[in-house]
Amino acid sequence: MSRFAKRIVVTGIGAVAPNGLGISDYRASLQAGRSGIARHEELANLRFACQIGGKPPVGPDEAEALIPGADLAKLNEAMVYATMAAVEAARMSGVPVDLKKGYNSTPVDWETGAFIGCGIGGMDTMFDELGPVMGEAADQEPGMGCRPMGTDIVPKIMESSVSVAVGKFLGLGGQTTTNSSACNTGTEAIFEAFKHMQLGYCDSMYAGGAEGTHFATWSGFDAMRDVLCSKFNEMAEKGSQPMGAAACGFVPAGGAGVLRLETLEHARKRGAAILCEIAAAYCNSGGQRDGGTMTFPNPDGVARCIRRVLQDSGVDPARISLINGHLTSTAADPREVGSWIKSLELPLDKFPLIQSTKSMIGHALGAAGALESVAVVDQIVNGYVHPSINCEEVHPQIPIGASIPHEMRKKELEYVIKASFGFGDVNGCLLFKRWDGK
């Protein structure tokens, strides 16, 4: 028996991913096991150890096809991605949106808000616009040093820029805000939206995360020893190897994933097509104790997070069809799998399928949990399990190799559990349920 008073359903999803722009392309790549990771000459010129990454196929043409030019000039990279994903989610849910025909004339949607997270926002603006101006500021006339930045600089560098953009273009009147919780950001945003609706503050919410791909966003990780993958610069598509024996660090990426969530009552009232249900959601922290650190989660905190969503939903672990893990292609993968085994308490021969979307898109930081949740919803709706690529040789400390799909499988999924674990020992877990019409 679920402890929640309201049922929360998903009515729309949107994706801007390294291996696909839009849900159709994203699905095709996931089903084909197609990587979106490539080598980037800019990183090589800057002497990065890791010279590969996942960048969405979004250029000026793709952005201008959706967003009016005057508005586009005021957006940073992550804001563009967030807008594209949110508009797709809105349209899928049956909300008509055409930014080119003018969005300011549409009424405010007072019953809808947004939690759109971002891990490290505005780096492109800081380095490409703010930095050069400040570098020449001393040569300007008194009082004029900062003037060349223009009036749009602050909205482009503030962390909440991604939710501000979504709120503006969709006319949202509910709480519209940005969370930031490292690698757990996208998953946490969905939890916050779920909780917000349970408390009765909104009937619907856009939830997810966005992240840019500027080299400055990735530079700090490259400075950390053995955090990023640096051994596959000449074989970029092989670089992300979650659960693989040769995993040597995560591959940085960016993009955006957005879900439109609604109360079941609201979705039915407006006749929206329901994709799936969120049966439970939870976030916690391991307190950076008992093995938990800035970069590794406390195993007990992870287990408590996973068990809480099962407890709150009343779902027997044996009914879980699929795990979409955090699984980053680092030394943390065996520890994470161990936590899943401990938490679910199932015989290894009964262990559910387990996958890592990051094997194809890399680690999209603040957008990771959101893009992976979008993949979960699409798999539930279309009855498939995408492969985890690059782990044909499973890490020797992972004892559930038989549960890792190496090719796409057609399968009806009842419950799919998705988790994220972020720097700072923070955890998030979501339990998705197939919509059965009841």
Side-chain angles (χ1 to χ4, degrees):
M1 176 71 73
S2 172
R3 68 178 290 268
F4 299 108
K6 297 183 179 182
R7 295 177 68 184
I8 307 300
V9 297
V10 181
T11 58
I13 50 177
V16 177
N19 64 348
L21 175 56
I23 293 301
S24 295
D25 287 351
Y26 190 35
R27 178 188 308 127
S29 290
L30 292 176
Q31 291 182 337
R34 184 161 52 245
S35 173
I37 297 167
R39 186 174 187 272
H40 300 286
E41 198 63 34
E42 179 182 45
L43 301 180
N45 293 338
L46 291 170
R47 302 297 189 264
F48 272 54
C50 174
Q51 299 167 12
I52 61 177
K55 296 189 177 187
V58 176
D61 291 345
E62 290 78 12
E64 290 171 4
L66 179 74
I67 304 169
D71 291 299
L72 187 59
K74 299 178 181 181
L75 307 181
N76 65 32
E77 182 187 9
M79 295 166 80
V80 172
Y81 295 163
T83 300
M84 297 178 84
V87 168
E88 182 176 31
R91 289 173 173 172
M92 184 182 292
S93 75
V95 177
V97 180
D98 189 339
L99 304 184
K100 290 285 194 174
K101 291 185 177 180
Y103 56 86
N104 287 318
S105 60
T106 60
V108 175
D109 183 353
W110 296 108
E111 299 304 321
T112 303
F115 281 92
I116 308 295
C118 188
I120 309 174
M123 280 292 197
D124 50 335
T125 303
M126 293 181 200
F127 269 74
D128 298 342
E129 297 181 39
L130 186 151
V133 170
M134 294 311 297
E136 299 176 357
D139 299 325
Q140 302 293 334
E141 293 294 323
M144 301 296 291
C146 300
R147 194 65 60 85
M149 292 182 196
T151 57
D152 298 321
I153 193 78
V154 172
K156 292 167 73 173
I157 62 174
M158 63 188 191
E159 198 71 27
S160 58
S161 62
V162 290
S163 61
V164 167
V166 171
K168 169 186 174 180
F169 291 124
L170 300 183
L172 306 182
Q175 183 182 3
T176 299
T177 191
T178 294
N179 64 302
S180 187
S181 194
C183 314
N184 187 40
T185 297
T187 298
E188 181 185 71
I190 298 168
F191 164 65
E192 290 295 336
F194 177 90
K195 182 172 63 175
H196 198 67
M197 288 188 290
Q198 289 292 344
L199 292 171
Y201 293 124
C202 277
D203 292 327
S204 57
M205 296 288 291
Y206 292 91
E211 198 76 76
T213 63
H214 194 274
F215 66 81
T217 301
W218 299 347
S219 62
F221 297 104
D222 199 71
M224 302 170 71
R225 176 180 290 184
D226 298 330
V227 170
L228 296 191
C229 171
S230 60
K231 298 180 181 179
F232 289 86
N233 289 335
E234 304 304 322
M235 297 181 289
E237 294 183 356
K238 298 291 185 182
S240 187
Q241 302 188 19
M243 298 183 285
C248 61
F250 76 77
V251 177
V258 174
L259 293 73
R260 180 178 165 101
L261 310 182
E262 303 186 44
T263 63
L264 177 58
E265 179 183 11
H266 186 264
R268 281 177 164 166
K269 183 177 180 179
R270 69 182 192 90
I274 295 171
L275 303 179
C276 68
E277 183 173 356
I278 298 183
Y282 187 65
C283 285
N284 74 351
S285 172
Q288 297 187 52
R289 305 287 192 276
D290 303 325
T293 67
M294 176 57 72
T295 55
F296 279 95
N298 176 340
D300 188 42
V302 170
R304 286 171 178 268
C305 190
I306 295 169
R307 287 170 176 165
R308 180 63 181 264
V309 297
L310 296 172
Q311 174 188 330
D312 287 351
S313 65
V315 172
D316 187 323
R319 298 180 67 185
I320 294 174
S321 306
L322 173 67
I323 297 167
N324 185 284
H326 188 57
L327 298 169
T328 57
S329 187
T330 66
D333 289 355
R335 292 177 60 166
E336 178 182 338
V337 172
S339 293
W340 284 111
I341 293 171
K342 176 183 176 181
S343 303
L344 300 184
E345 298 182 311
L346 295 171
L348 295 187
D349 62 346
K350 301 293 184 182
F351 199 77
L353 294 173
I354 183 169
Q355 67 183 181
S356 174
T357 307
K358 291 183 184 72
S359 66
M360 288 176 274
I361 67 173
H363 192 336
L365 308 175
L371 274 169
E372 292 155 16
S373 292
V374 168
V376 165
V377 173
D378 194 68
Q379 289 175 99
I380 292 173
V381 172
N382 293 289
Y384 72 96
V385 175
H386 77 61
S388 271
I389 66 172
N390 300 329
C391 63
E392 291 77 13
E393 184 180 353
V394 178
H395 193 287
Q397 295 177 17
I398 293 178
I400 43 84
S403 293
I404 303 173
H406 299 292
E407 295 180 348
M408 191 270 284
R409 302 186 189 183
K410 296 295 292 183
K411 182 178 175 64
E412 187 175 274
L413 303 168
E414 183 181 13
Y415 286 97
V416 179
I417 192 167
K418 192 275 164 297
S420 296
F421 313 113
F423 275 20
D425 196 7
V426 292
N427 313 306
C429 193
L430 309 169
L431 184 63
F432 294 87
K433 179 181 182 293
R434 180 173 60 86
W435 176 245
D436 56 11
K438 299 178 182 178

